[in-house]
Amino acid sequence: QVADKKQALIKLSQLINSSGISASEQVKILIQRGKTFFFLHQYAQGIEAVQQGKQIAEQTGLSHLTAQANKMLGVLFYYQGELKKALQAYQASLVFYTNHPDTDSSTFAIDRANLLNNIALVYTSLGQSDLVLLNYQQAEPLYARYGNEEDKIDVRYNIAVLHISLQRFDSAIDMLKVIIKKRQVLKDDHGVATARADLGLAFKHSGQFE
């Protein structure tokens, strides 16, 4: 919550070097350092911090924090353009949320849905459309059951954009019209604008120039 992210890094360094910090707290601090470096677009430093946290989590049997570290590593690798490493990190995290005894709890279900959504984004960048759709199709029912309205709309929007890339323009048009109406209700002006742009693109490619 510290606006000055460089100041946040200083505070996190002070915190991790203070006495009486448990292994769990060390991991949480290192993951937070990774997130802070992410906000500063310093992805390499973020990866280094989170990898340190992941190592501590693995050594001390903190599987939940290992999964959180893997998820954050996926984000950092993705933005650094290391797509295969991002995919491996996301998939490693997904294994925990899929196999955990509390997998049907709302928190775990949303975490799983978020990871599936992120994996789909990686496959989009890799140009593997079938795997993109497969992961979105797994994420959508989880968002439908456990997510908020924004989550539900966002995954539908992602699927609509995928339909455009697959040249399924009629499906994309139908979905985007509904998405625009729902985002208008949420007063999501930016979301409405991006959906309208994609709707225009779908109309263009389907020959509906007017």
Side-chain angles (χ1 to χ4, degrees), residues 161-197:
V161 172
L162 176 62
H163 280 311
I164 293 175
S165 69
L166 295 173
Q167 300 184 2
R168 300 172 182 170
F169 303 120
D170 289 343
S171 297
I173 289 167
D174 290 341
M175 292 175 69
L176 287 165
K177 286 179 177 178
V178 175
I179 289 163
I180 288 168
K181 289 180 181 178
K182 290 187 175 182
R183 283 181 169 175
Q184 286 172 333
V185 172
L186 294 177
K187 301 187 185 304
D188 179 4
D189 294 338
H190 181 265
V192 170
T194 55
R196 283 192 183 280

PDB file of all heavy atoms in Angstrom, residues 161-197:
ATOM      1  N   VAL A 161     -12.466 -12.614 -27.792  1.00  0.00           N
ATOM      2  CA  VAL A 161     -11.273 -12.190 -28.539  1.00  0.00           C
ATOM      3  C   VAL A 161     -10.617 -13.397 -29.210  1.00  0.00           C
ATOM      4  O   VAL A 161     -10.143 -13.312 -30.350  1.00  0.00           O
ATOM      5  CB  VAL A 161     -10.279 -11.467 -27.600  1.00  0.00           C
ATOM      6  CG1 VAL A 161      -8.962 -11.198 -28.309  1.00  0.00           C
ATOM      7  CG2 VAL A 161     -10.882 -10.165 -27.095  1.00  0.00           C
ATOM      8  N   LEU A 162     -10.615 -14.525 -28.501  1.00  0.00           N
ATOM      9  CA  LEU A 162     -10.069 -15.756 -29.087  1.00  0.00           C
ATOM     10  C   LEU A 162     -10.867 -16.158 -30.327  1.00  0.00           C
ATOM     11  O   LEU A 162     -10.284 -16.564 -31.338  1.00  0.00           O
ATOM     12  CB  LEU A 162     -10.080 -16.880 -28.059  1.00  0.00           C
ATOM     13  CG  LEU A 162      -9.632 -18.254 -28.564  1.00  0.00           C
ATOM     14  CD1 LEU A 162      -8.181 -18.216 -29.036  1.00  0.00           C
ATOM     15  CD2 LEU A 162      -9.805 -19.310 -27.469  1.00  0.00           C
ATOM     16  N   HIS A 163     -12.195 -16.039 -30.246  1.00  0.00           N
ATOM     17  CA  HIS A 163     -13.035 -16.373 -31.405  1.00  0.00           C
ATOM     18  C   HIS A 163     -12.675 -15.511 -32.620  1.00  0.00           C
ATOM     19  O   HIS A 163     -12.714 -15.996 -33.757  1.00  0.00           O
ATOM     20  CB  HIS A 163     -14.515 -16.199 -31.058  1.00  0.00           C
ATOM     21  CG  HIS A 163     -15.100 -17.343 -30.287  1.00  0.00           C
ATOM     22  ND1 HIS A 163     -14.941 -18.653 -30.673  1.00  0.00           N
ATOM     23  CD2 HIS A 163     -15.844 -17.386 -29.152  1.00  0.00           C
ATOM     24  CE1 HIS A 163     -15.558 -19.446 -29.817  1.00  0.00           C
ATOM     25  NE2 HIS A 163     -16.108 -18.706 -28.877  1.00  0.00           N
ATOM     26  N   ILE A 164     -12.310 -14.259 -32.379  1.00  0.00           N
ATOM     27  CA  ILE A 164     -11.887 -13.393 -33.502  1.00  0.00           C
ATOM     28  C   ILE A 164     -10.634 -13.957 -34.143  1.00  0.00           C
ATOM     29  O   ILE A 164     -10.536 -14.056 -35.370  1.00  0.00           O
ATOM     30  CB  ILE A 164     -11.648 -11.942 -33.019  1.00  0.00           C
ATOM     31  CG1 ILE A 164     -12.971 -11.306 -32.577  1.00  0.00           C
ATOM     32  CG2 ILE A 164     -11.011 -11.103 -34.141  1.00  0.00           C
ATOM     33  CD1 ILE A 164     -12.815  -9.927 -31.973  1.00  0.00           C
ATOM     34  N   SER A 165      -9.665 -14.356 -33.326  1.00  0.00           N
ATOM     35  CA  SER A 165      -8.413 -14.888 -33.867  1.00  0.00           C
ATOM     36  C   SER A 165      -8.640 -16.211 -34.594  1.00  0.00           C
ATOM     37  O   SER A 165      -7.888 -16.564 -35.509  1.00  0.00           O
ATOM     38  CB  SER A 165      -7.375 -15.056 -32.756  1.00  0.00           C
ATOM     39  OG  SER A 165      -7.742 -16.085 -31.867  1.00  0.00           O
ATOM     40  N   LEU A 166      -9.689 -16.946 -34.183  1.00  0.00           N
ATOM     41  CA  LEU A 166     -10.026 -18.212 -34.833  1.00  0.00           C
ATOM     42  C   LEU A 166     -10.978 -18.017 -36.014  1.00  0.00           C
ATOM     43  O   LEU A 166     -11.441 -18.993 -36.607  1.00  0.00           O
ATOM     44  CB  LEU A 166     -10.660 -19.172 -33.815  1.00  0.00           C
ATOM     45  CG  LEU A 166      -9.763 -19.647 -32.671  1.00  0.00           C
ATOM     46  CD1 LEU A 166     -10.554 -20.443 -31.655  1.00  0.00           C
ATOM     47  CD2 LEU A 166      -8.585 -20.469 -33.194  1.00  0.00           C
ATOM     48  N   GLN A 167     -11.290 -16.746 -36.318  1.00  0.00           N
ATOM     49  CA  GLN A 167     -12.183 -16.373 -37.426  1.00  0.00           C
ATOM     50  C   GLN A 167     -13.612 -16.882 -37.211  1.00  0.00           C
ATOM     51  O   GLN A 167     -14.338 -17.138 -38.161  1.00  0.00           O
ATOM     52  CB  GLN A 167     -11.612 -16.860 -38.764  1.00  0.00           C
ATOM     53  CG  GLN A 167     -10.250 -16.266 -39.078  1.00  0.00           C
ATOM     54  CD  GLN A 167      -9.716 -16.657 -40.446  1.00  0.00           C
ATOM     55  OE1 GLN A 167     -10.372 -17.348 -41.214  1.00  0.00           O
ATOM     56  NE2 GLN A 167      -8.522 -16.193 -40.764  1.00  0.00           N
ATOM     57  N   ARG A 168     -14.002 -17.000 -35.956  1.00  0.00           N
ATOM     58  CA  ARG A 168     -15.389 -17.340 -35.627  1.00  0.00           C
ATOM     59  C   ARG A 168     -16.110 -16.030 -35.296  1.00  0.00           C
ATOM     60  O   ARG A 168     -16.455 -15.752 -34.145  1.00  0.00           O
ATOM     61  CB  ARG A 168     -15.428 -18.307 -34.450  1.00  0.00           C
ATOM     62  CG  ARG A 168     -14.692 -19.629 -34.714  1.00  0.00           C
ATOM     63  CD  ARG A 168     -14.584 -20.466 -33.447  1.00  0.00           C
ATOM     64  NE  ARG A 168     -13.848 -21.706 -33.676  1.00  0.00           N
ATOM     65  CZ  ARG A 168     -13.442 -22.513 -32.693  1.00  0.00           C
ATOM     66  NH1 ARG A 168     -13.706 -22.222 -31.424  1.00  0.00           N
ATOM     67  NH2 ARG A 168     -12.770 -23.626 -32.978  1.00  0.00           N
ATOM     68  N   PHE A 169     -16.317 -15.222 -36.320  1.00  0.00           N
ATOM     69  CA  PHE A 169     -16.744 -13.839 -36.110  1.00  0.00           C
ATOM     70  C   PHE A 169     -18.164 -13.727 -35.583  1.00  0.00           C
ATOM     71  O   PHE A 169     -18.449 -12.868 -34.743  1.00  0.00           O
ATOM     72  CB  PHE A 169     -16.579 -13.041 -37.403  1.00  0.00           C
ATOM     73  CG  PHE A 169     -15.170 -13.068 -37.938  1.00  0.00           C
ATOM     74  CD1 PHE A 169     -14.900 -13.576 -39.201  1.00  0.00           C
ATOM     75  CD2 PHE A 169     -14.118 -12.608 -37.166  1.00  0.00           C
ATOM     76  CE1 PHE A 169     -13.601 -13.607 -39.683  1.00  0.00           C
ATOM     77  CE2 PHE A 169     -12.815 -12.643 -37.639  1.00  0.00           C
ATOM     78  CZ  PHE A 169     -12.556 -13.146 -38.904  1.00  0.00           C
ATOM     79  N   ASP A 170     -19.067 -14.582 -36.026  1.00  0.00           N
ATOM     80  CA  ASP A 170     -20.447 -14.512 -35.550  1.00  0.00           C
ATOM     81  C   ASP A 170     -20.530 -14.763 -34.048  1.00  0.00           C
ATOM     82  O   ASP A 170     -21.247 -14.058 -33.324  1.00  0.00           O
ATOM     83  CB  ASP A 170     -21.323 -15.523 -36.303  1.00  0.00           C
ATOM     84  CG  ASP A 170     -21.552 -15.130 -37.748  1.00  0.00           C
ATOM     85  OD1 ASP A 170     -21.312 -13.941 -38.085  1.00  0.00           O
ATOM     86  OD2 ASP A 170     -21.947 -15.995 -38.548  1.00  0.00           O
ATOM     87  N   SER A 171     -19.785 -15.761 -33.585  1.00  0.00           N
ATOM     88  CA  SER A 171     -19.759 -16.062 -32.145  1.00  0.00           C
ATOM     89  C   SER A 171     -19.178 -14.886 -31.366  1.00  0.00           C
ATOM     90  O   SER A 171     -19.708 -14.506 -30.307  1.00  0.00           O
ATOM     91  CB  SER A 171     -18.938 -17.327 -31.868  1.00  0.00           C
ATOM     92  OG  SER A 171     -19.518 -18.458 -32.469  1.00  0.00           O
ATOM     93  N   ALA A 172     -18.092 -14.319 -31.887  1.00  0.00           N
ATOM     94  CA  ALA A 172     -17.458 -13.180 -31.208  1.00  0.00           C
ATOM     95  C   ALA A 172     -18.409 -11.993 -31.136  1.00  0.00           C
ATOM     96  O   ALA A 172     -18.513 -11.326 -30.090  1.00  0.00           O
ATOM     97  CB  ALA A 172     -16.178 -12.787 -31.942  1.00  0.00           C
ATOM     98  N   ILE A 173     -19.105 -11.718 -32.224  1.00  0.00           N
ATOM     99  CA  ILE A 173     -20.034 -10.577 -32.264  1.00  0.00           C
ATOM    100  C   ILE A 173     -21.146 -10.745 -31.236  1.00  0.00           C
ATOM    101  O   ILE A 173     -21.457  -9.819 -30.472  1.00  0.00           O
ATOM    102  CB  ILE A 173     -20.606 -10.410 -33.692  1.00  0.00           C
ATOM    103  CG1 ILE A 173     -19.514  -9.890 -34.632  1.00  0.00           C
ATOM    104  CG2 ILE A 173     -21.806  -9.453 -33.686  1.00  0.00           C
ATOM    105  CD1 ILE A 173     -19.860  -9.992 -36.105  1.00  0.00           C
ATOM    106  N   ASP A 174     -21.737 -11.938 -31.187  1.00  0.00           N
ATOM    107  CA  ASP A 174     -22.818 -12.197 -30.218  1.00  0.00           C
ATOM    108  C   ASP A 174     -22.322 -12.004 -28.785  1.00  0.00           C
ATOM    109  O   ASP A 174     -23.012 -11.393 -27.951  1.00  0.00           O
ATOM    110  CB  ASP A 174     -23.353 -13.617 -30.395  1.00  0.00           C
ATOM    111  CG  ASP A 174     -24.129 -13.794 -31.690  1.00  0.00           C
ATOM    112  OD1 ASP A 174     -24.555 -12.773 -32.272  1.00  0.00           O
ATOM    113  OD2 ASP A 174     -24.298 -14.955 -32.125  1.00  0.00           O
ATOM    114  N   MET A 175     -21.141 -12.526 -28.499  1.00  0.00           N
ATOM    115  CA  MET A 175     -20.604 -12.423 -27.137  1.00  0.00           C
ATOM    116  C   MET A 175     -20.257 -10.992 -26.778  1.00  0.00           C
ATOM    117  O   MET A 175     -20.550 -10.523 -25.670  1.00  0.00           O
ATOM    118  CB  MET A 175     -19.363 -13.320 -26.995  1.00  0.00           C
ATOM    119  CG  MET A 175     -19.669 -14.809 -27.072  1.00  0.00           C
ATOM    120  SD  MET A 175     -18.163 -15.820 -27.042  1.00  0.00           S
ATOM    121  CE  MET A 175     -17.626 -15.551 -25.361  1.00  0.00           C
ATOM    122  N   LEU A 176     -19.644 -10.266 -27.713  1.00  0.00           N
ATOM    123  CA  LEU A 176     -19.203  -8.900 -27.424  1.00  0.00           C
ATOM    124  C   LEU A 176     -20.381  -7.958 -27.198  1.00  0.00           C
ATOM    125  O   LEU A 176     -20.303  -7.041 -26.366  1.00  0.00           O
ATOM    126  CB  LEU A 176     -18.310  -8.386 -28.557  1.00  0.00           C
ATOM    127  CG  LEU A 176     -16.909  -8.999 -28.586  1.00  0.00           C
ATOM    128  CD1 LEU A 176     -16.224  -8.718 -29.915  1.00  0.00           C
ATOM    129  CD2 LEU A 176     -16.054  -8.468 -27.432  1.00  0.00           C
ATOM    130  N   LYS A 177     -21.479  -8.168 -27.890  1.00  0.00           N
ATOM    131  CA  LYS A 177     -22.669  -7.335 -27.677  1.00  0.00           C
ATOM    132  C   LYS A 177     -23.174  -7.470 -26.244  1.00  0.00           C
ATOM    133  O   LYS A 177     -23.529  -6.477 -25.594  1.00  0.00           O
ATOM    134  CB  LYS A 177     -23.772  -7.716 -28.666  1.00  0.00           C
ATOM    135  CG  LYS A 177     -23.524  -7.255 -30.085  1.00  0.00           C
ATOM    136  CD  LYS A 177     -24.653  -7.702 -31.008  1.00  0.00           C
ATOM    137  CE  LYS A 177     -24.462  -7.193 -32.427  1.00  0.00           C
ATOM    138  NZ  LYS A 177     -25.542  -7.676 -33.322  1.00  0.00           N
ATOM    139  N   VAL A 178     -23.176  -8.704 -25.739  1.00  0.00           N
ATOM    140  CA  VAL A 178     -23.610  -8.946 -24.357  1.00  0.00           C
ATOM    141  C   VAL A 178     -22.608  -8.359 -23.374  1.00  0.00           C
ATOM    142  O   VAL A 178     -22.976  -7.740 -22.369  1.00  0.00           O
ATOM    143  CB  VAL A 178     -23.785 -10.457 -24.106  1.00  0.00           C
ATOM    144  CG1 VAL A 178     -24.108 -10.732 -22.637  1.00  0.00           C
ATOM    145  CG2 VAL A 178     -24.874 -11.022 -25.008  1.00  0.00           C
ATOM    146  N   ILE A 179     -21.326  -8.540 -23.661  1.00  0.00           N
ATOM    147  CA  ILE A 179     -20.257  -8.032 -22.783  1.00  0.00           C
ATOM    148  C   ILE A 179     -20.335  -6.519 -22.661  1.00  0.00           C
ATOM    149  O   ILE A 179     -20.199  -5.955 -21.564  1.00  0.00           O
ATOM    150  CB  ILE A 179     -18.881  -8.476 -23.319  1.00  0.00           C
ATOM    151  CG1 ILE A 179     -18.698  -9.983 -23.098  1.00  0.00           C
ATOM    152  CG2 ILE A 179     -17.748  -7.695 -22.658  1.00  0.00           C
ATOM    153  CD1 ILE A 179     -17.597 -10.599 -23.919  1.00  0.00           C
ATOM    154  N   ILE A 180     -20.576  -5.827 -23.773  1.00  0.00           N
ATOM    155  CA  ILE A 180     -20.670  -4.364 -23.747  1.00  0.00           C
ATOM    156  C   ILE A 180     -21.813  -3.922 -22.832  1.00  0.00           C
ATOM    157  O   ILE A 180     -21.646  -3.009 -22.003  1.00  0.00           O
ATOM    158  CB  ILE A 180     -20.857  -3.808 -25.177  1.00  0.00           C
ATOM    159  CG1 ILE A 180     -19.549  -3.956 -25.957  1.00  0.00           C
ATOM    160  CG2 ILE A 180     -21.308  -2.349 -25.147  1.00  0.00           C
ATOM    161  CD1 ILE A 180     -19.688  -3.725 -27.448  1.00  0.00           C
ATOM    162  N   LYS A 181     -22.963  -4.561 -22.947  1.00  0.00           N
ATOM    163  CA  LYS A 181     -24.110  -4.200 -22.102  1.00  0.00           C
ATOM    164  C   LYS A 181     -23.795  -4.412 -20.622  1.00  0.00           C
ATOM    165  O   LYS A 181     -24.127  -3.579 -19.775  1.00  0.00           O
ATOM    166  CB  LYS A 181     -25.330  -5.028 -22.510  1.00  0.00           C
ATOM    167  CG  LYS A 181     -25.927  -4.638 -23.856  1.00  0.00           C
ATOM    168  CD  LYS A 181     -27.127  -5.512 -24.196  1.00  0.00           C
ATOM    169  CE  LYS A 181     -27.707  -5.130 -25.553  1.00  0.00           C
ATOM    170  NZ  LYS A 181     -28.844  -6.008 -25.931  1.00  0.00           N
ATOM    171  N   LYS A 182     -23.128  -5.531 -20.311  1.00  0.00           N
ATOM    172  CA  LYS A 182     -22.816  -5.819 -18.907  1.00  0.00           C
ATOM    173  C   LYS A 182     -21.767  -4.860 -18.356  1.00  0.00           C
ATOM    174  O   LYS A 182     -21.840  -4.448 -17.197  1.00  0.00           O
ATOM    175  CB  LYS A 182     -22.349  -7.272 -18.768  1.00  0.00           C
ATOM    176  CG  LYS A 182     -23.478  -8.283 -18.980  1.00  0.00           C
ATOM    177  CD  LYS A 182     -23.042  -9.703 -18.683  1.00  0.00           C
ATOM    178  CE  LYS A 182     -24.223 -10.666 -18.784  1.00  0.00           C
ATOM    179  NZ  LYS A 182     -23.850 -12.057 -18.459  1.00  0.00           N
ATOM    180  N   ARG A 183     -20.802  -4.489 -19.191  1.00  0.00           N
ATOM    181  CA  ARG A 183     -19.790  -3.533 -18.728  1.00  0.00           C
ATOM    182  C   ARG A 183     -20.377  -2.134 -18.581  1.00  0.00           C
ATOM    183  O   ARG A 183     -19.926  -1.354 -17.735  1.00  0.00           O
ATOM    184  CB  ARG A 183     -18.601  -3.527 -19.701  1.00  0.00           C
ATOM    185  CG  ARG A 183     -17.689  -4.745 -19.512  1.00  0.00           C
ATOM    186  CD  ARG A 183     -16.495  -4.747 -20.433  1.00  0.00           C
ATOM    187  NE  ARG A 183     -15.529  -5.770 -20.044  1.00  0.00           N
ATOM    188  CZ  ARG A 183     -14.429  -6.065 -20.730  1.00  0.00           C
ATOM    189  NH1 ARG A 183     -14.160  -5.424 -21.858  1.00  0.00           N
ATOM    190  NH2 ARG A 183     -13.608  -7.005 -20.293  1.00  0.00           N
ATOM    191  N   GLN A 184     -21.374  -1.816 -19.365  1.00  0.00           N
ATOM    192  CA  GLN A 184     -22.061  -0.535 -19.208  1.00  0.00           C
ATOM    193  C   GLN A 184     -22.773  -0.476 -17.856  1.00  0.00           C
ATOM    194  O   GLN A 184     -22.758   0.559 -17.189  1.00  0.00           O
ATOM    195  CB  GLN A 184     -23.061  -0.325 -20.351  1.00  0.00           C
ATOM    196  CG  GLN A 184     -22.396   0.022 -21.677  1.00  0.00           C
ATOM    197  CD  GLN A 184     -23.361   0.032 -22.842  1.00  0.00           C
ATOM    198  OE1 GLN A 184     -24.381  -0.661 -22.829  1.00  0.00           O
ATOM    199  NE2 GLN A 184     -23.044   0.812 -23.871  1.00  0.00           N
ATOM    200  N   VAL A 185     -23.376  -1.591 -17.451  1.00  0.00           N
ATOM    201  CA  VAL A 185     -24.038  -1.659 -16.146  1.00  0.00           C
ATOM    202  C   VAL A 185     -23.022  -1.444 -15.025  1.00  0.00           C
ATOM    203  O   VAL A 185     -23.308  -0.758 -14.035  1.00  0.00           O
ATOM    204  CB  VAL A 185     -24.749  -3.017 -15.965  1.00  0.00           C
ATOM    205  CG1 VAL A 185     -25.268  -3.171 -14.534  1.00  0.00           C
ATOM    206  CG2 VAL A 185     -25.896  -3.153 -16.967  1.00  0.00           C
ATOM    207  N   LEU A 186     -21.824  -2.003 -15.202  1.00  0.00           N
ATOM    208  CA  LEU A 186     -20.762  -1.846 -14.200  1.00  0.00           C
ATOM    209  C   LEU A 186     -20.052  -0.498 -14.293  1.00  0.00           C
ATOM    210  O   LEU A 186     -19.167  -0.214 -13.493  1.00  0.00           O
ATOM    211  CB  LEU A 186     -19.727  -2.975 -14.365  1.00  0.00           C
ATOM    212  CG  LEU A 186     -20.195  -4.399 -14.059  1.00  0.00           C
ATOM    213  CD1 LEU A 186     -19.079  -5.393 -14.347  1.00  0.00           C
ATOM    214  CD2 LEU A 186     -20.659  -4.533 -12.614  1.00  0.00           C
ATOM    215  N   LYS A 187     -20.446   0.316 -15.299  1.00  0.00           N
ATOM    216  CA  LYS A 187     -19.816   1.621 -15.550  1.00  0.00           C
ATOM    217  C   LYS A 187     -18.310   1.486 -15.793  1.00  0.00           C
ATOM    218  O   LYS A 187     -17.508   2.319 -15.360  1.00  0.00           O
ATOM    219  CB  LYS A 187     -20.094   2.593 -14.397  1.00  0.00           C
ATOM    220  CG  LYS A 187     -21.586   2.845 -14.155  1.00  0.00           C
ATOM    221  CD  LYS A 187     -21.824   3.918 -13.136  1.00  0.00           C
ATOM    222  CE  LYS A 187     -23.309   4.060 -12.823  1.00  0.00           C
ATOM    223  NZ  LYS A 187     -24.140   4.319 -14.011  1.00  0.00           N
ATOM    224  N   ASP A 188     -17.959   0.405 -16.479  1.00  0.00           N
ATOM    225  CA  ASP A 188     -16.563   0.130 -16.841  1.00  0.00           C
ATOM    226  C   ASP A 188     -16.310   0.737 -18.221  1.00  0.00           C
ATOM    227  O   ASP A 188     -16.363   0.048 -19.240  1.00  0.00           O
ATOM    228  CB  ASP A 188     -16.321  -1.383 -16.841  1.00  0.00           C
ATOM    229  CG  ASP A 188     -14.896  -1.755 -17.227  1.00  0.00           C
ATOM    230  OD1 ASP A 188     -14.066  -0.843 -17.416  1.00  0.00           O
ATOM    231  OD2 ASP A 188     -14.618  -2.967 -17.357  1.00  0.00           O
ATOM    232  N   ASP A 189     -16.035   2.037 -18.254  1.00  0.00           N
ATOM    233  CA  ASP A 189     -15.909   2.750 -19.530  1.00  0.00           C
ATOM    234  C   ASP A 189     -14.752   2.218 -20.371  1.00  0.00           C
ATOM    235  O   ASP A 189     -14.874   2.074 -21.588  1.00  0.00           O
ATOM    236  CB  ASP A 189     -15.725   4.254 -19.281  1.00  0.00           C
ATOM    237  CG  ASP A 189     -16.962   4.892 -18.669  1.00  0.00           C
ATOM    238  OD1 ASP A 189     -18.059   4.314 -18.817  1.00  0.00           O
ATOM    239  OD2 ASP A 189     -16.833   5.955 -18.037  1.00  0.00           O
ATOM    240  N   HIS A 190     -13.628   1.939 -19.726  1.00  0.00           N
ATOM    241  CA  HIS A 190     -12.477   1.415 -20.463  1.00  0.00           C
ATOM    242  C   HIS A 190     -12.799   0.035 -21.041  1.00  0.00           C
ATOM    243  O   HIS A 190     -12.466  -0.265 -22.195  1.00  0.00           O
ATOM    244  CB  HIS A 190     -11.258   1.334 -19.546  1.00  0.00           C
ATOM    245  CG  HIS A 190     -10.025   0.830 -20.233  1.00  0.00           C
ATOM    246  ND1 HIS A 190      -9.659  -0.505 -20.200  1.00  0.00           N
ATOM    247  CD2 HIS A 190      -9.099   1.454 -21.001  1.00  0.00           C
ATOM    248  CE1 HIS A 190      -8.557  -0.675 -20.903  1.00  0.00           C
ATOM    249  NE2 HIS A 190      -8.189   0.499 -21.397  1.00  0.00           N
ATOM    250  N   GLY A 191     -13.457  -0.793 -20.231  1.00  0.00           N
ATOM    251  CA  GLY A 191     -13.837  -2.122 -20.702  1.00  0.00           C
ATOM    252  C   GLY A 191     -14.821  -2.070 -21.855  1.00  0.00           C
ATOM    253  O   GLY A 191     -14.734  -2.858 -22.804  1.00  0.00           O
ATOM    254  N   VAL A 192     -15.755  -1.117 -21.796  1.00  0.00           N
ATOM    255  CA  VAL A 192     -16.708  -0.925 -22.893  1.00  0.00           C
ATOM    256  C   VAL A 192     -15.966  -0.525 -24.164  1.00  0.00           C
ATOM    257  O   VAL A 192     -16.239  -1.040 -25.257  1.00  0.00           O
ATOM    258  CB  VAL A 192     -17.767   0.139 -22.525  1.00  0.00           C
ATOM    259  CG1 VAL A 192     -18.604   0.516 -23.755  1.00  0.00           C
ATOM    260  CG2 VAL A 192     -18.677  -0.372 -21.419  1.00  0.00           C
ATOM    261  N   ALA A 193     -15.007   0.389 -24.018  1.00  0.00           N
ATOM    262  CA  ALA A 193     -14.259   0.884 -25.188  1.00  0.00           C
ATOM    263  C   ALA A 193     -13.468  -0.244 -25.858  1.00  0.00           C
ATOM    264  O   ALA A 193     -13.477  -0.367 -27.088  1.00  0.00           O
ATOM    265  CB  ALA A 193     -13.321   2.012 -24.769  1.00  0.00           C
ATOM    266  N   THR A 194     -12.788  -1.068 -25.060  1.00  0.00           N
ATOM    267  CA  THR A 194     -11.993  -2.153 -25.655  1.00  0.00           C
ATOM    268  C   THR A 194     -12.907  -3.188 -26.325  1.00  0.00           C
ATOM    269  O   THR A 194     -12.585  -3.703 -27.399  1.00  0.00           O
ATOM    270  CB  THR A 194     -11.118  -2.852 -24.595  1.00  0.00           C
ATOM    271  OG1 THR A 194     -11.944  -3.312 -23.520  1.00  0.00           O
ATOM    272  CG2 THR A 194     -10.065  -1.907 -24.045  1.00  0.00           C
ATOM    273  N   ALA A 195     -14.052  -3.473 -25.695  1.00  0.00           N
ATOM    274  CA  ALA A 195     -14.987  -4.433 -26.294  1.00  0.00           C
ATOM    275  C   ALA A 195     -15.575  -3.878 -27.596  1.00  0.00           C
ATOM    276  O   ALA A 195     -15.772  -4.621 -28.562  1.00  0.00           O
ATOM    277  CB  ALA A 195     -16.097  -4.763 -25.299  1.00  0.00           C
ATOM    278  N   ARG A 196     -15.857  -2.566 -27.621  1.00  0.00           N
ATOM    279  CA  ARG A 196     -16.373  -1.951 -28.853  1.00  0.00           C
ATOM    280  C   ARG A 196     -15.318  -2.013 -29.973  1.00  0.00           C
ATOM    281  O   ARG A 196     -15.658  -2.248 -31.135  1.00  0.00           O
ATOM    282  CB  ARG A 196     -16.775  -0.497 -28.597  1.00  0.00           C
ATOM    283  CG  ARG A 196     -18.088  -0.332 -27.866  1.00  0.00           C
ATOM    284  CD  ARG A 196     -18.550   1.117 -27.908  1.00  0.00           C
ATOM    285  NE  ARG A 196     -19.763   1.316 -27.159  1.00  0.00           N
ATOM    286  CZ  ARG A 196     -20.989   1.029 -27.593  1.00  0.00           C
ATOM    287  NH1 ARG A 196     -21.144   0.478 -28.790  1.00  0.00           N
ATOM    288  NH2 ARG A 196     -22.045   1.257 -26.844  1.00  0.00           N
ATOM    289  N   ALA A 197     -14.067  -1.801 -29.614  1.00  0.00           N
ATOM    290  CA  ALA A 197     -12.994  -1.880 -30.616  1.00  0.00           C
ATOM    291  C   ALA A 197     -12.923  -3.288 -31.207  1.00  0.00           C
ATOM    292  O   ALA A 197     -12.791  -3.450 -32.430  1.00  0.00           O
ATOM    293  CB  ALA A 197     -11.657  -1.498 -29.986  1.00  0.00           C
TER     294      ALA A 197
END
